[in-house]
C-alpha cells in the first residue's frame, strides 16, 4: 500500500532570497523590505524588517519572478524618499540582492508651495484689515475731497434722482 505522501503532488523547490538595503545608517531602523510576485507587484506577499544592520532574508520562497522594494516609516512630507524596485527570478539557489534606498530631508523652500504662499498673504492682509477696521471704516464712509460739500449729499444720491425727476 502506498503512503499518503507519495500520492500527493510533488512539492515545489523552495529557495531563500536574501540581500541588503543600501541606505544610510540613520534610516535603517525605519526600513522594511517587501516581496511580491512580478505578476502582481502591488500586493506584497511578505514584509520583513532589516535584521543585522542592513540585512534582510525571505526564507523558503518558491521558484518564481519577484519584485523587492524597501519601504519606510519616515514621513514623506519631511523626506524625499527614493527606492528602486528590484526584479529577481528564483530558479536555482537563492541569490544575494542589493536594494538602493535614500531619504533626503526636504528644505523649507520645498515645503511652502505657491498655494500656501498666497494663503499666507491673504491671511496677513485680513489680519491687518481687522486690526485697522475703524480707520478703514472711516475712510470708506468719507467722500473724496472736493466732490461733495457734506457726506449726506454724497450718500443720498437716490433721493436726489427722485427730486430731479419731479422737476
Amino acid at each position: 500500500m502506498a503512503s499518503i505522501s507519495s500520492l500527493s503532488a510533488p512539492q515545489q523547490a523552495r529557495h531563500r532570497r536574501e540581500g541588503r538595503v543600501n541606505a544610510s545608517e540613520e534610516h535603517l531602523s525605519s526600513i522594511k523590505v517587501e516581496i511580491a510576485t512580478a505578476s502582481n507587484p502591488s500586493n506584497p506577499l511578505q514584509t520583513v524588517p532589516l535584521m543585522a544592520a542592513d540585512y534582510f532574508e525571505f526564507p523558503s520562497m518558491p521558484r518564481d519572478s519577484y519584485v523587492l522594494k524597501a519601504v519606510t516609516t519616515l514621513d514623506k512630507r519631511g523626506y524625499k524618499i527614493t527606492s528602486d524596485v528590484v526584479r529577481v527570478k528564483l530558479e536555482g539557489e537563492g541569490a544575494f540582492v542589493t536594494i538602493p534606498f535614500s531619504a533626503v530631508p526636504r528644505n523649507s523652500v520645498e515645503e511652502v508651495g505657491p498655494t500656501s504662499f498666497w494663503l499666507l498673504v491673504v491671511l496677513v492682509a485680513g489680519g491687518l484689515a481687522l486690526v485697522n477696521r475703524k480707520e478703514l471704516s472711516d475712510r470708506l464712509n468719507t467722500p473724496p475731497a472736493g466732490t461733495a460739500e457734506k457726506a449726506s449729499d454724497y450718500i443720498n444720491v437716490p433721493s436726489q434722482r427722485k427730486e430731479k425727476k419731479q422737476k
Side-chain angles (χ1 to χ4, degrees):
M1 179 158 187
S3 69
I4 294 175
S5 63
S6 65
L7 296 175
S8 64
Q11 289 201 335
Q12 188 175 18
R14 296 198 171 270
H15 303 283
R16 186 174 72 203
R17 171 58 57 210
E18 60 186 340
R20 66 180 286 269
V21 176
N22 189 12
S24 73
E25 202 169 309
E26 65 187 287
H27 300 123
L28 291 176
S29 63
S30 71
I31 298 173
K32 293 181 180 182
V33 179
E34 291 181 346
I35 189 167
T37 58
S39 60
N40 191 4
S42 61
N43 188 17
L45 300 172
Q46 291 182 38
T47 302
V48 296
L50 297 179
M51 294 163 67
D54 59 357
Y55 177 79
F56 66 89
E57 180 180 315
F58 291 100
S60 189
M61 298 299 297
R63 288 184 182 177
D64 203 351
S65 293
Y66 295 98
V67 291
L68 294 151
K69 71 177 178 177
V71 294
T72 183
T73 57
L74 292 173
D75 185 10
K76 290 176 179 49
R77 292 174 293 180
Y79 291 89
K80 182 179 180 187
I81 298 169
T82 307
S83 178
D84 292 344
V85 174
V86 177
R87 293 184 175 274
V88 293
K89 187 168 187 170
L90 275 179
E91 290 182 346
E93 193 61 36
F96 198 82
V97 176
T98 300
I99 302 173
F101 178 90
S102 72
V104 179
R106 294 186 188 272
N107 62 28
S108 60
V109 174
E110 291 176 352
E111 292 176 14
V112 179
T115 304
S116 300
F117 174 76
W118 288 110
L119 179 62
L120 181 64
V121 169
V122 168
L123 287 174
V124 168
L128 289 173
L130 184 63
V131 169
N132 297 315
R133 68 182 175 270
K134 180 158 177 38
E135 185 178 324
L136 285 171
S137 176
D138 291 344
R139 286 186 185 218
L140 291 173
N141 291 328
T142 305
T147 58
E149 294 179 15
K150 301 186 288 187
S152 62
D153 290 344
Y154 184 73
I155 294 172
N156 293 328
V157 173
S159 65
Q160 291 176 356
R161 287 183 187 158
K162 289 180 183 176
E163 292 173 9
K164 288 181 182 178
K165 289 181 180 178
Q166 292 173 355
K167 289 182 183 180

